[in-house]
């Protein structure tokens, strides 16, 4: 979608549709001016309770020549005192989804003019771009019905130069490009988004932004002894790989932030095979790796002043004569031995080798993202990602980032006593305990491989995919993690 900023007044701006914000309990200047121009139509809609300005509501009306805009999309902002950036983002996302439903391809927005916060323009731009996302690459029929947005005009707010506003819009678009990349990767089916596809994506990303990219292939993984990662990939014809991307945005002496993303391109469960119903959703088991790639894309595009390393252990978890199996004992890269009690607990295996490997970068902080446990979905549903870590400052910084960007996280405890469930009779650890506290025991397992590095783990099993449309995230892949990571990096 083409985006531009224009300095016209909303009352004088000709366009197919103009979006304006409406409060439940107050009429601002723009609302009143539109109401007068339309002969009291807006107050009548309010009086009859057809449109009351409640958050998450919208109403499209035709202006019949009474305003230069052909249509007005009224968007509820709720109570005036409660307005914040997240409310604005969601209103903008709802608005653009309403315009898609009405098939209005180009429009102007004045929503941010109702906002009083410093970042109102960014919030509205972000919500609009995120809400306008769609993925239809695999649809070949009904081409003529296909809809795509053509252009968005943001009307210039008071107190900002056009140049400054355009720069803010550009930064927001770069962030949203990272989110879109992550969503696309998760949306692609498992037969397309293979381990090789993730490696190609990383290569292309590196070429776009002059990052360094290294792919460790199977022979190299064997030489290093990444046997946990290798074991998970053994049942598949797609070889496992370790993808390493480096972005240098700060001085050579500055220690990097390392991002690690689970990249299981399809999780059948392996020999401990999953039930068939809903198994197709397991194409999303590489959402952690998608978040890392999306965050690298955005960080490099935005030229953030940090050093970043993105590490992606990727494999396909399949049953086969060569597959790893329950009872097997693996020697992981760190030397720690692991008894396999469930081949469906594969995420922690590919991550444990990646987390150990990551320590060679002497990270200032390390954050992993993984669709790790069904237990996390049971605990938090689809509203928040699970958060654990060994460093309260890092955990708190991620909580703060989540609060301000709208990607919610919720901390779970990681007490040592949870480790009892992961002790094996034959090896140092087993890879799966009982179902009780499943997200935490998985987190505890990962913790055994991070050494003294400041580390946090995000379980995104419940948040990477949404079965329902949300304001800033149409049904499907959410791209969760990208905005959270960028917000965290900006706050450092
Ligand atoms: N990829 C799954 C977790 C998952 C579940 C992600 C639902 C998204 C939605 C993971 O590899 C898995 O299978 N975990 C097992 C662990 C168990 C065997 C200890 C689980 O959660 O059941
Ligand atoms: Mn699994
Ligand atoms: Zn998995």
């Amino acid at each position: 979608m083409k985006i531009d900023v224009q300095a016209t007044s909303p009352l004088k701006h000709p366009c197919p549709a103009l979006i304006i914000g409406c409060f439940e309990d107050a009429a601002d200047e723009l609302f009143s001016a539109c109401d007068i121009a339309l002969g009291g139509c807006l107050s009548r809609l309010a009086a009859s309770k057809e449109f009351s300005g409640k958050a998450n509501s919208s109403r499209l009306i035709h202006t019949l020549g009474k305003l230069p805009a052909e249509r007005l999309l009224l968007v509820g902002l709720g109570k005036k005192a409660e307005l914040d950036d997240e409310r604005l983002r969601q209103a903008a996302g709802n608005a653009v989804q309403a315009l898609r439903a009405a098939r209005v391809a180009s429009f102007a927005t004045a929503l941010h003019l109702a906002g009083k916060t410093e970042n109102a323009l960014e919030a509205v731009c972000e919500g609009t771009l995120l809400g306008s996302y769609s993925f239809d690459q695999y649809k070949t029929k009904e081409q003529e019905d296909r809809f795509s947005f053509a252009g968005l005009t943001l009307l210039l707010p008071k107190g900002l130069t056009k140049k400054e506003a355009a720069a803010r819009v550009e930064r927001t678009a770069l962030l949203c490009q990272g989110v879109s990349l992550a969503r696309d990767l998760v949306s692609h089916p498992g037969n397309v988004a293979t381990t090789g596809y993730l490696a190609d994506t990383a290569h292309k990303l590196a070429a776009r932004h002059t990052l360094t990219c290294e792919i460790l292939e199977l022979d190299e993984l064997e030489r290093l002894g990444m046997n946990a990662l290798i074991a998970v990939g053994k049942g598949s014809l797609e070889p496992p790989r370790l993808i390493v991307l480096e972005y240098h945005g700060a001085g050579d002496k500055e220690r990097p932030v390392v991002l690690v993303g689970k990249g299981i391109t399809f999780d059948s469960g392996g020999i401990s095979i999953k039930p068939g119903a809903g198994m197709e959703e397991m194409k999303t088991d590489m959402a952690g790796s998608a978040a890392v790639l999306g965050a690298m894309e955005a960080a490099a595009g935005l030229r953030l002043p940090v050093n970043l390393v993105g590490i992606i252990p990727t494999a396909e978890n399949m049953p086969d004569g060569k597959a790893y199996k329950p009872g097997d004992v693996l020697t992981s890269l760190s030397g720690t031995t692991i008894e396999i009690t469930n081949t469906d607990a594969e995420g922690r295996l590919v991550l444990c080798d990646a987390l150990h490997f990551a320590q060679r970068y002497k990270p200032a902080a390390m954050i992993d993202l993984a669709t790790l446990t069904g237990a996390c979905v049971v605990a938090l549903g689809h509203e928040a990602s699970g958060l654990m870590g060994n460093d309260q400052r890092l955990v708190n910084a991620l909580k703060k980032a989540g609060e301000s960007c709208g990607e919610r996280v919720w901390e779970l405890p990681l007490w040592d006593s949870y480790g009892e469930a992961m002790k094996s009779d034959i090896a140092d650890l087993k890879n799966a305990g009982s179902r009780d506290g499943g997200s935490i025991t998985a987190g505890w397992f990962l913790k055994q491989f991070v050494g003294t590095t400041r580390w946090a783990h995000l379980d995104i099993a419940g948040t990477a995919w949404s079965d329902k449309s949300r304001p800033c995230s149409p049904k499907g892949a959410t791209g969760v993690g990208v905005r959270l990571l960028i917000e965290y990096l900006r706050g450092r």
Side-chain angles (χ1 to χ4, degrees):
M1 172 154 45
K2 215 175 119 310
I3 318 170
D4 70 347
V5 178
Q6 283 187 29
T8 29
S9 138
L11 296 168
K12 298 201 176 115
H13 188 77
C15 54
L18 171 70
I19 304 173
I20 69 165
C22 314
F23 294 109
E24 213 175 314
D25 54 355
D28 68 3
E29 211 179 297
L30 177 56
F31 181 91
S32 303
C34 290
D35 191 30
I36 291 167
L38 296 173
C41 173
L42 304 191
S43 11
R44 206 183 277 193
L45 282 169
S48 63
K49 300 207 161 58
E50 284 165 85
F51 180 77
S52 57
K54 283 206 170 56
N56 296 326
S57 66
S58 71
R59 171 88 194 211
L60 186 64
I61 58 172
H62 282 259
T63 62
L64 307 175
K66 292 178 177 159
L67 278 171
E70 285 169 49
R71 300 171 188 81
L72 211 51
L73 180 67
L74 313 171
V75 181
L77 291 174
K79 298 209 164 64
K80 190 165 183 183
E82 289 172 7
L83 187 68
D84 59 9
D85 287 347
E86 180 61 10
R87 179 70 59 86
L88 275 178
R89 273 192 291 265
Q90 295 201 5
N94 275 321
V96 75
Q97 293 195 52
L99 290 178
R100 174 185 291 282
R103 307 180 71 82
V104 179
S106 50
F107 58 97
T109 185
L111 252 183
H112 49 285
L113 303 183
K116 49 193 180 311
T117 67
E118 209 197 320
N119 299 320
L121 180 70
E122 282 93 329
V124 168
C125 185
E126 188 176 315
T128 309
L129 292 176
L130 295 174
S132 71
Y133 177 83
S134 69
F135 185 85
D136 46 23
Q137 290 180 37
Y138 295 97
K139 297 261 192 202
T140 69
K141 306 284 184 256
E142 294 144 21
Q143 290 287 2
E144 65 280 6
D145 290 347
R146 193 87 1 103
F147 175 85
S148 57
F149 286 107
L152 153 69
T153 301
L154 288 141
L155 299 178
L156 187 69
K158 282 200 190 76
L160 267 190
T161 64
K162 204 169 159 180
K163 199 170 157 217
E164 173 60 13
R168 291 182 181 212
V169 166
E170 169 71 11
R171 284 200 290 273
T172 308
L174 287 166
L175 172 66
C176 294
Q177 260 171 42
V179 179
S180 290
L181 172 65
R183 286 178 178 177
D184 284 352
L185 285 167
V186 174
S187 302
H188 278 300
N191 59 327
V192 172
T194 58
T195 67
Y197 185 92
L198 291 183
D200 284 348
T201 303
H203 263 307
K204 287 187 186 137
L205 198 166
R208 269 201 300 284
H209 297 287
T210 60
L211 315 186
T212 60
C213 175
E214 203 189 341
I215 313 291
L216 308 192
E217 302 286 349
L218 184 57
D219 53 348
E220 184 68 8
L221 301 177
E222 280 168 350
R223 208 182 56 75
L224 286 167
M226 299 190 92
N227 298 315
L229 170 57
I230 292 168
V232 172
K234 275 180 86 179
S236 171
L237 289 175
E238 301 289 341
R241 296 180 156 96
L242 189 82
I243 301 169
V244 184
L245 276 169
E246 286 181 47
Y247 162 68
H248 296 273
D252 285 346
K253 291 214 180 66
E254 197 144 324
R255 288 160 68 186
V257 173
V258 177
L259 308 175
V260 181
K262 171 179 173 181
I264 298 297
T265 60
F266 183 70
D267 181 13
S268 69
I271 297 295
S272 315
I273 198 161
K274 288 181 182 293
M279 202 200 271
E280 67 279 3
E281 201 190 311
M282 284 301 123
K283 73 170 185 178
T284 68
D285 213 17
M286 33 58 72
S289 70
V292 170
L293 289 168
M296 297 295 288
E297 167 88 11
L302 289 163
R303 298 176 196 281
L304 294 189
V306 289
N307 292 332
L308 273 184
V309 181
I311 299 181
I312 294 168
T314 176
E316 185 182 51
N317 188 21
M318 295 290 273
D320 180 74
K322 288 202 167 68
Y324 81 133
K325 56 194 180 294
D328 286 0
V329 174
L330 314 174
T331 302
S332 66
L333 179 64
S334 74
T336 300
T337 56
I338 304 164
E339 179 193 7
I340 302 306
T341 52
N342 191 323
T343 64
D344 199 11
E346 85 297 337
R348 63 199 74 182
L349 296 172
V350 303
L351 287 170
C352 79
D353 277 352
L355 291 169
H356 184 81
F357 177 87
Q359 290 177 55
R360 66 169 62 186
Y361 294 94
K362 304 213 178 341
M366 177 154 77
I367 303 167
D368 80 72
L369 301 97
T371 45
L372 202 63
T373 63
C376 192
V377 191
V378 174
L380 301 175
H382 305 281
E383 303 307 313
S385 304
L387 170 62
M388 286 148 260
N390 63 3
D391 182 275
Q392 199 58 44
R393 265 185 59 199
L394 176 59
V395 165
N396 289 346
L398 285 165
K399 283 184 186 172
K400 193 170 152 227
E403 206 55 55
S404 68
C405 79
E407 289 190 353
R408 287 164 158 163
V409 299
W410 196 258
E411 187 183 359
L412 300 172
L414 206 47
W415 298 308
D416 280 341
S417 47
Y418 282 104
E420 283 310 313
M422 306 305 285
K423 297 274 154 67
S424 161
D425 290 335
I426 185 172
D428 300 331
L429 298 172
K430 56 185 180 186
N431 78 325
S434 72
R435 293 170 37 162
D436 304 350
S439 303
I440 302 174
T441 51
W444 183 92
F445 183 94
L446 297 180
K447 188 177 175 215
Q448 309 314 302
F449 297 88
V450 302
T452 54
T453 306
R454 297 170 58 209
W455 156 82
H457 158 63
L458 288 157
D459 193 330
I460 57 171
T463 49
W465 184 267
S466 180
D467 285 331
K468 62 166 195 200
S469 239
R470 292 162 187 270
C472 295
S473 186
K475 192 172 157 174
T478 61
V480 74
V482 176
R483 290 187 300 130
L484 178 70
L485 290 171
I486 297 297
E487 186 69 20
Y488 161 74
L489 292 170
R490 280 176 165 162
R492 281 183 95 239

